[in-house]
């Protein structure tokens, strides 16, 4: 990690830390815009900081560490899409999306289809699920189920219905967005055909890396909080941290967390600059599955290590646990990633 990026990450950690754990997006989103965090991965020729995927993941990690409610990851995916060749008036879109406007992106693969309407236009129908903070978005970035079209669709028009999706994770707000025969304007179609398939793969890879970094940040913060609790909570006249059985459990969790962090760093080092190829997609998928499972393991152990207080739903342990379990479900359907990773591994020995 470069010195500049390390300083940016430390600054984000300090600013988010001052907002408190699980700060509402009404506080964290304005900071995200004001401090220019959405520009971190934007190429320098488009006015950004040019820190690439590693830069974005540094901020995803801090968002996860602080359980921030800002839809930072969804916004960065949409910004990355408009930075790719194909969209008319690209510079103006980058300025809009890194300024006052927010374009949402679904956190799961969409079940959307576009019926051709001639002259490159189309009509959109179907459901986009798990869309973060869709009620504050001006547009939604959609990829069709057949991966043949990628488009920006205005949300404030007839035929678009938003429904809040209640979840256990109180740190994020998710919506379902249903489209009923909505007309698409040609300038808002970002990519079609092979270009759309490449962009869909790229966005999927970026989404997996964002969830990986969020999980690594959350696991690190929760383990640190748990160790600090064990240092101060006393039983039989001694701090709990002195009991060997508890020390060993924390050491195991530290090893798991460090492993997830190292896998993320190694994967980022391998894919930087070529995010949209099959190897990058596979590395992101492996890193995401591993980091999410480690996050969930740390959260479940932290609940027990906190004793009775950790079992109360108001405790911070529960906020981390619910975010960890939601991270496991986002992305592709549960089990599909593990199956494809296993098939890829077996293919190497066939």
């Amino acid at each position: 990690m470069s010195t500049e990026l390390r300083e940016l990450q430390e600054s984000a950690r300090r600013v988010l830390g001052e907002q408190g754990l699980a700060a509402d997006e009404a506080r964290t989103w304005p900071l995200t815009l004001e401090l220019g965090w959405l520009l971190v991965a934007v190429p320098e020729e488009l006015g950004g900081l040019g820190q690439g995927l590693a830069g974005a993941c540094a901020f995803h990690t801090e968002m996860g560490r602080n359980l921030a409610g800002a839809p930072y990851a969804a916004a960065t995916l949409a910004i990355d899409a408009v930075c790719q060749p194909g969209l008319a008036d690209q510079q103006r879109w980058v300025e809009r999306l890194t300024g006052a406007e927010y374009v949402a992106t679904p956190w799961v693969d969409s079940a959307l289809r576009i019926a051709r309407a001639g002259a490159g236009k189309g009509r959109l129908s179907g459901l986009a699920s798990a869309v973060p903070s869709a009620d504050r978005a001006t547009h939604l970035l959609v990829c069709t189920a057949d991966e043949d079209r990628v488009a920006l669709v205005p949300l404030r028009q007839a035929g678009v219905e938003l429904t809040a999706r209640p979840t256990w994770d109180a740190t994020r707000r998710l919506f379902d967005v249903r489209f009923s025969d909505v007309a698409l304007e040609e300038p808002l179609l970002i990519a079609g055909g092979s270009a759309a398939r490449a962009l869909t793969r790229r966005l999927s890879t970026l989404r997996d890396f964002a969830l990986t970094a969020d999980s690594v940040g959350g696991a690190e913060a929760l383990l640190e909080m748990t160790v600090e609790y064990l240092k101060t909570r006393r039983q039989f006249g001694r701090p709990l941290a002195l009991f060997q059985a508890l020390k060993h459990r924390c050491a195991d969790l530290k090893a798991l967390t460090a492993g997830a962090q190292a896998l993320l760093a190694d994967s980022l080092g391998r894919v930087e600059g070529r995010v949209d190829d099959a190897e990058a997609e596979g590395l992101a998928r492996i890193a995401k599955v591993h980091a999410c499972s480690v996050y969930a393991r740390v959260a479940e152990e932290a609940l027990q290590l906190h004793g009775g207080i950790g079992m109360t739903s108001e405790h911070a342990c529960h906020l981390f646990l619910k975010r960890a379990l939601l991270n496991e479900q986002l992305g592709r359907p549960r089990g599909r990633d593990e199956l494809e990773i296993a098939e890829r591994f077996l293919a190497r020995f066939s």
Side-chain angles (χ1 to χ4, degrees), residues 221-240:
L222 179 54
L223 182 56
E224 291 170 6
M225 185 183 80
T226 302
V227 170
E228 286 301 313
Y229 174 77
L230 294 177
K231 287 179 180 177
T232 56
R233 180 81 167 89
R234 300 177 69 87
Q235 199 167 50
F236 305 116
R238 306 169 63 197
L240 288 174

Side-chain angles (χ1 to χ4, degrees), residues 197-342:
R197 288 188 285 276
L199 182 53
T200 300
R201 168 182 282 176
R202 178 184 179 89
L203 294 172
S204 173
T205 300
L206 295 177
R207 180 187 64 192
D208 284 349
F209 273 122
L211 289 169
T212 302
D214 186 277
S215 298
V216 167
E220 287 176 344
L222 179 54
L223 182 56
E224 291 170 6
M225 185 183 80
T226 302
V227 170
E228 286 301 313
Y229 174 77
L230 294 177
K231 287 179 180 177
T232 56
R233 180 81 167 89
R234 300 177 69 87
Q235 199 167 50
F236 305 116
R238 306 169 63 197
L240 288 174
L242 292 180
F243 289 88
Q244 193 173 46
L246 300 183
K247 285 195 288 188
H248 285 183
R249 288 174 71 175
C250 289
D252 289 343
L253 296 178
K254 178 61 178 176
L256 288 172
T257 306
Q261 185 182 36
L263 182 59
L264 171 61
D266 180 71
S267 301
L268 290 175
R270 292 171 184 264
V271 307
E272 190 63 60
R274 50 179 186 81
V275 178
D276 43 10
D277 67 15
E279 183 182 359
E281 184 182 39
L283 289 170
R285 193 170 298 168
I286 292 171
K288 184 256 182 181
V289 169
H290 183 64
C292 289
S293 66
V294 167
Y295 192 10
R297 168 75 184 281
V298 171
E300 289 164 356
E301 289 276 344
L303 239 69
Q304 296 183 29
L305 290 167
H306 274 79
I309 191 174
M311 300 298 169
T312 58
S313 60
E314 294 82 5
H315 196 273
C317 281
H318 275 263
L319 296 178
F320 281 104
L321 175 64
K322 290 167 183 174
R323 185 145 168 155
L325 297 180
L326 181 59
N327 279 1
E328 282 191 314
Q329 303 299 324
L330 296 176
R332 298 174 191 80
R334 185 75 188 274
R336 181 175 161 190
D337 282 333
E338 290 86 340
L339 180 61
E340 292 185 5
I341 291 170

Side-chain angles (χ1 to χ4, degrees), residues 79-96:
I79 292 169
D80 184 87
V82 302
C83 286
Q84 304 308 307
L87 181 65
D89 206 359
Q90 190 180 44
Q91 181 68 57
R92 185 174 66 88
W93 272 103
V94 171
E95 293 173 358
R96 287 174 61 177

Side-chain angles (χ1 to χ4, degrees), residues 41-223:
V42 174
E44 291 180 334
E45 58 269 25
L46 292 175
L49 301 180
Q51 293 294 327
L53 177 57
C57 281
F59 281 83
H60 295 320
T61 301
E62 296 311 312
M63 292 288 174
R65 169 177 278 273
N66 290 279
L67 301 177
Y72 179 77
T76 55
L77 262 63
I79 292 169
D80 184 87
V82 302
C83 286
Q84 304 308 307
L87 181 65
D89 206 359
Q90 190 180 44
Q91 181 68 57
R92 185 174 66 88
W93 272 103
V94 171
E95 293 173 358
R96 287 174 61 177
L97 270 59
T98 57
E101 291 190 28
Y102 162 58
V103 170
T105 313
W107 276 114
V108 299
D109 293 343
S110 299
L112 298 168
R113 63 184 184 280
I114 295 179
R116 303 295 173 87
K121 297 185 178 181
R123 304 191 73 85
L124 177 67
S125 299
L127 180 68
S129 297
V131 183
S133 304
D135 58 338
R136 69 164 62 239
T138 58
H139 296 72
L140 181 69
L141 178 70
V142 300
C143 304
T144 55
D146 59 5
E147 301 181 355
D148 193 52
R149 306 288 280 274
V150 179
L152 293 175
V153 182
L155 290 178
R156 295 163 191 168
Q157 61 175 317
V160 180
E161 180 184 1
L162 271 62
T163 305
R165 174 184 280 265
T167 67
W168 277 14
D169 177 14
T171 65
R172 290 179 287 203
R173 300 184 306 115
L174 298 181
F175 291 78
D176 287 338
V177 182
R178 181 170 293 283
F179 298 93
S180 302
D181 198 30
V182 174
L184 296 181
E185 295 297 328
E186 188 174 8
L188 297 182
L189 291 174
I190 297 180
S194 60
R197 288 188 285 276
L199 182 53
T200 300
R201 168 182 282 176
R202 178 184 179 89
L203 294 172
S204 173
T205 300
L206 295 177
R207 180 187 64 192
D208 284 349
F209 273 122
L211 289 169
T212 302
D214 186 277
S215 298
V216 167
E220 287 176 344
L222 179 54
L223 182 56

Side-chain angles (χ1 to χ4, degrees), residues 11-20 23-39 59 63 66 68-72 98-99 136:
S11 172
R13 181 172 302 187
R14 184 172 59 255
V15 171
L16 289 172
E18 290 170 354
Q19 305 309 307
D24 189 86
E25 68 174 292
R27 292 163 57 189
T28 53
W29 182 244
L31 284 172
T32 301
L33 298 176
E34 180 183 349
L35 297 176
W37 291 349
L38 292 174
L39 287 165
F59 281 83
M63 292 288 174
N66 290 279
Y72 179 77
T98 57
R136 69 164 62 239

